């Protein structure tokens, strides 16, 4: 068993070199997938990395919109998504068609799209954001009216931080919706010294209980510097693998073991190998959509 696992990893690494590929993995990926990645990060870090890599092939271990963002930024590269069913349910809560209809209601509004959207939706938007830069980006926007899509909870959080009222799309992340305020209150009683760290995709009543609200990449950086030894973690449980590996002296307590993103977990060592063998499935954004979507992504990346 151990032997075949090692062989599988060796095959992946060997083929990765032959194909001149880079493996990018989101912080929610299975531990064994994170362990073979060249770069692990949040949505912002992954898109910056995709934009800068010199590899010819990107194996994207994450969900579909992330692979699309890589394809938007690097049309000349082959972007592999080892399982095409790895989609983001929140991204599917807004379609290009439904957004066009909404824009008719608010013709003057600037559309700020969370990167958790399809390329087609980005193409209809003015500027993208991730959980790492949404507050700063909205703060800097001169627009009078903002339509924020699709995450109502992230939008609500950005509104409270910036004091800017925004029109919110009623989308949400089903995984983060499983993180409940009652669970945090219970854990705080058991671990009174612990710091509460949550993702801004969480419900407002969860965010209110948090000491720090950060993107997944922000969480990984924050725990390196905090004095607190115990940390209650309110986001998808996959991140705990990385947090524990990088901070063996600290204790990480997930708010909910049920906060699992099933689509993220569709990427496995086996299908990574198959995708490198077959050079499929590939994610490629049609050029007409790509150019319009890129304008929104580029505007986000300019804000550093
Ligand atoms: P970040 O890793 O960008 O914080 O986003 C979380 C997420 O849900 C990605 O789908
Ligand atoms: Fe989408 Fe939520 Fe999964 Fe992130 S955790 S990919 S937002 S469903």
């Amino acid at each position: 068993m151990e032997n075949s696992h090692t062989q599988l990893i060796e095959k992946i690494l060997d083929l990765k070199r032959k194909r001149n590929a880079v493996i990018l993995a989101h912080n929610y990926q299975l531990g064994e997938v994170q362990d073979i990645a060249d770069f692990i990060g949040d949505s912002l870090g992954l898109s910056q990395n995709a934009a800068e890599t010199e590899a010819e092939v990107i194996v994207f271990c994450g969900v579909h919109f992330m692979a699309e963002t890589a394809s938007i930024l690097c049309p000349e590269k082959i972007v592999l998504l080892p399982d095409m069913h790895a989609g983001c349910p929140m991204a599917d809560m807004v379609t290009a068609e439904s957004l066009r209809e909404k824009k008719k209601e608010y013709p003057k509004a600037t559309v700020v799209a969370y990167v958790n959207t399809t390329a087609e939706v980005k193409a209809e938007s003015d500027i993208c954001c991730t959980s790492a830069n949404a507050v700063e980006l909205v703060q800097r926007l001169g627009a009078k009216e903002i339509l924020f899509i699709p995450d109502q909870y992230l939008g609500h959080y950005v509104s409270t931080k910036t004091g800017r009222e925004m029109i919110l799309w009623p989308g949400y992340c089903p995984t983060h919706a499983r993180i409940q305020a009652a669970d945090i209150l219970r854990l705080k009683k058991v671990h009174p010294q612990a710091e509460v760290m949550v993702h801004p995709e969480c419900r407002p009543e969860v965010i209110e209980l948090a000491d720090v609200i950060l993107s997944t990449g922000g969480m990984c950086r924050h725990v390196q510097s905090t004095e607190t030894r115990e940390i209650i973690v309110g986001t998808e449980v996959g991140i705990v693998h990385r947090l524990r590996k990088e901070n063996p002296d600290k204790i990480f307590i997930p708010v909910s073991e049920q906060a699992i993103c099933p689509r993220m977990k569709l990427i496995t060592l086996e299908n990574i190998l198959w995708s490198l063998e077959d050079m499929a499935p590939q994610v490629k954004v049609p050029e007409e959509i790509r150019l319009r979507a890129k304008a929104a992504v580029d505007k986000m990346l300019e804000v550093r």
Side-chain angles (χ1 to χ4, degrees):
M1 178 68 187
E2 184 54 35
N3 202 14
S4 65
H5 183 80
T6 313
Q7 280 175 356
L8 181 57
I9 294 172
E10 276 170 9
K11 278 188 191 167
I12 293 172
L13 299 181
D14 183 44
L15 208 47
K16 187 186 81 162
R17 275 188 294 275
K18 288 191 180 129
R19 301 276 197 223
N20 187 15
V22 68
I23 301 179
L24 305 184
H26 187 266
N27 290 316
Y28 298 158
Q29 287 292 292
L30 292 171
E32 58 192 31
V33 170
Q34 295 187 28
D35 292 344
I36 58 142
D38 296 294
F39 177 80
I40 319 164
D42 62 10
S43 312
L44 181 62
L46 289 167
S47 44
Q48 287 167 337
N49 216 278
E52 284 160 15
T53 182
E54 281 173 9
E56 290 167 74
V57 177
I58 297 174
V59 184
F60 214 110
C61 304
V63 286
H64 192 265
F65 76 82
M66 297 178 175
E68 270 191 338
T69 307
S71 165
I72 288 167
L73 291 167
C74 330
E76 72 294 350
K77 294 191 198 306
I78 292 173
V79 180
L80 300 172
L81 180 64
D83 188 326
M84 269 304 187
H85 297 103
C88 166
M90 169 157 63
D92 296 336
M93 289 178 192
V94 54
T95 61
E97 182 54 35
S98 59
L99 177 56
R100 277 193 291 269
E101 284 306 306
K102 198 70 169 174
K103 280 164 65 173
K104 284 183 196 157
E105 268 180 66
Y106 301 99
K108 292 205 176 107
T110 295
V111 180
V112 179
Y114 190 23
V115 279
N116 298 39
T117 42
T118 62
E120 270 192 306
V121 166
K122 288 184 176 77
E124 294 290 335
S125 304
D126 296 298
I127 183 163
C128 287
C129 71
T130 75
S131 57
N133 57 20
V135 170
E136 192 189 343
L137 210 133
V138 167
Q139 229 149 21
R140 289 195 194 187
L141 270 189
K144 279 207 178 83
E145 200 175 32
I146 297 172
L147 171 59
F148 190 92
I149 61 166
D151 187 354
Q152 59 181 307
Y153 297 146
L154 175 64
H156 179 270
Y157 169 68
V158 172
S159 254
T160 55
K161 287 292 279 184
T162 59
R164 300 200 61 173
E165 231 178 84
M166 302 193 291
I167 305 143
L168 303 180
W169 195 271
Y172 65 96
C173 162
T175 300
H176 284 85
R178 290 185 160 209
I179 295 168
Q180 302 282 325
D183 292 325
I184 296 187
L185 291 171
R186 182 178 46 79
L187 286 170
K188 273 172 77 138
K189 277 194 190 141
V190 188
H191 307 274
Q193 308 296 334
E195 190 174 74
V196 179
M197 177 174 83
V198 310
H199 195 274
E201 284 178 17
C202 289
R203 298 165 184 274
E205 63 270 26
V206 167
I207 288 191
E208 266 176 40
L209 293 173
D211 299 303
V212 276
I213 300 125
L214 292 164
S215 73
T216 61
M219 289 180 177
C220 295
R221 287 185 291 276
H222 172 76
V223 299
Q224 307 254 349
S225 60
T226 183
E227 298 279 291
T228 324
R229 240 188 110 236
E230 286 178 294
I231 299 142
I232 296 171
V233 185
T235 192
E236 209 273 353
V237 288
I239 196 171
V240 173
H241 172 80
R242 178 172 173 192
L243 295 175
R244 287 184 179 144
K245 195 172 162 185
E246 292 179 354
N247 308 273
D249 54 326
K250 296 202 164 128
I251 297 164
F252 298 98
I253 309 139
V255 176
S256 169
E257 296 286 353
Q258 310 300 317
I260 297 173
C261 177
R263 308 289 182 89
M264 281 277 179
K265 308 305 188 221
L266 288 176
I267 311 297
T268 62
L269 290 180
E270 283 80 5
N271 57 29
I272 291 173
L273 177 63
W274 299 332
S275 73
L276 275 165
E277 281 173 348
D278 301 345
M279 293 300 274
Q282 293 187 15
V283 172
K284 183 119 189 96
V285 177
E287 193 60 6
E288 185 269 327
I289 293 170
R290 187 188 78 80
L291 289 173
R292 288 191 292 134
K294 187 171 183 295
V297 176
D298 281 347
K299 273 191 213 139
M300 167 184 87
L301 293 176
E302 280 161 19
V303 181
R304 286 223 178 184

